[in-house]
Amino acid sequence: MPDQPAAVPTKRRRRTRQETEADLLDAALRLLERDGTLAGITLREVAKEAGVNHGQIYQYFGDRQTLLRAAIGRLLDTQTLGAQNHWEKPFSERRRAMLRYALDQPQLLRLEALLALDGDPELTLFPELEHTKAALERDRRDGHLPEDADGLVMHAMTAATYLGYCIFREALARDLGLDPDELDQRASAVYDLMLDGLVDGRRNPGPSAN
């Protein structure tokens, strides 16, 4: 019986830099989802998970904070608010939409919290701040905010409310003995009252205490 010809090894296609970066970011997100943010991840672990030479991850990202910021960007690229006219809506509607968005993005919020706790000086919670400023100015002009409202800080404090709620949501539900979905409904109703107080309460203040 004649010898069979030796199999010719298939040459593995070399990944582009864009593909390699995407694989590394996906690997980082998988590790964080599997082990939790406080378990910590190293660049070497991410490279191993992605099947990438560990030298490449240092070349592309340099340090863990840069990698996590890029992972946040990847999540933001794949998730949207679902409405192109978000910035055209009044203040209260925009903030309600952001609460709903935050509830759907627990991994994104955990990453942001991790970077904040890590003291990352390049973390930004408001990447589209210029759109925000323009929308707040329009809100004042159209009567959706009082003329003397501190719109930027109202934006920041309402963001702190929904960010904090979503980060601590499960612990809050356990402490209160509530199903998380029921707590979401009740929390949304209270958040609506807070927004109404910020907008209408300032415009129609109650009688003076004096």
Side-chain angles (χ1 to χ4, degrees):
M1 182 175 179
D3 293 338
Q4 296 293 324
V8 178
T10 303
K11 187 176 181 180
R12 185 178 178 183
R13 184 180 70 85
R14 186 172 182 177
R15 286 180 288 194
T16 66
R17 175 170 180 145
Q18 184 177 15
E19 290 172 331
T20 301
E21 288 183 349
D23 288 343
L24 288 167
L25 294 176
D26 287 342
L29 292 171
R30 284 197 303 274
L31 288 173
L32 289 166
E33 183 69 23
R34 187 191 72 194
D35 301 333
T37 53
L38 291 182
I41 59 173
T42 68
L43 295 187
R44 283 179 176 268
E45 288 174 332
V46 174
K48 181 179 179 181
E49 173 73 14
V52 172
N53 183 293
H54 71 265
Q56 287 181 289
I57 193 170
Y58 289 98
Q59 177 186 350
Y60 295 164
F61 297 107
D63 57 40
R64 190 178 73 144
Q65 289 183 344
T66 302
L67 173 70
L68 294 180
R69 283 198 302 272
I72 288 174
R74 184 160 179 79
L75 287 174
L76 291 173
D77 286 343
T78 58
Q79 304 289 339
T80 66
L81 287 175
Q84 295 299 318
N85 64 341
H86 171 76
W87 295 108
E88 303 305 317
K89 294 179 180 178
F91 174 81
S92 293
E93 290 187 36
R94 293 198 307 274
R95 306 322 282 156
R96 290 184 179 101
M98 286 305 303
L99 171 59
R100 293 191 296 271
Y101 176 76
L103 285 168
D104 289 337
Q105 304 298 325
Q107 190 175 41
L108 173 62
L109 269 61
R110 287 196 294 267
L111 277 172
E112 290 177 336
L114 181 62
L115 283 171
L117 291 171
D118 211 27
D120 180 12
E122 296 186 38
L123 171 66
T124 176
L125 298 178
F126 304 135
E128 298 186 85
L129 188 57
E130 292 308 312
H131 285 298
T132 296
K133 290 178 179 178
L136 291 170
E137 183 58 37
R138 189 190 64 249
D139 288 330
R140 277 190 287 266
R141 188 172 61 246
D142 294 348
H144 297 303
L145 284 178
E147 290 186 3
D148 63 344
D150 190 346
L152 274 179
V153 176
M154 288 168 64
H155 178 84
M157 292 305 295
T158 51
T161 299
Y162 66 71
L163 290 170
Y165 171 74
C166 292
I167 289 170
F168 292 105
R169 170 180 177 264
E170 293 184 7
L172 290 169
R174 286 195 301 271
D175 283 352
L176 298 176
L178 297 173
D179 178 81
D181 290 336
E182 179 189 350
L183 180 59
D184 288 345
Q185 294 178 357
R186 293 169 65 173
S188 296
V190 171
Y191 190 64
D192 286 346
L193 292 174
M194 293 170 61
L195 290 172
D196 290 344
L198 284 171
V199 175
D200 297 325
R202 286 180 56 82
R203 191 158 33 222
N204 303 301
S208 172
N210 293 325

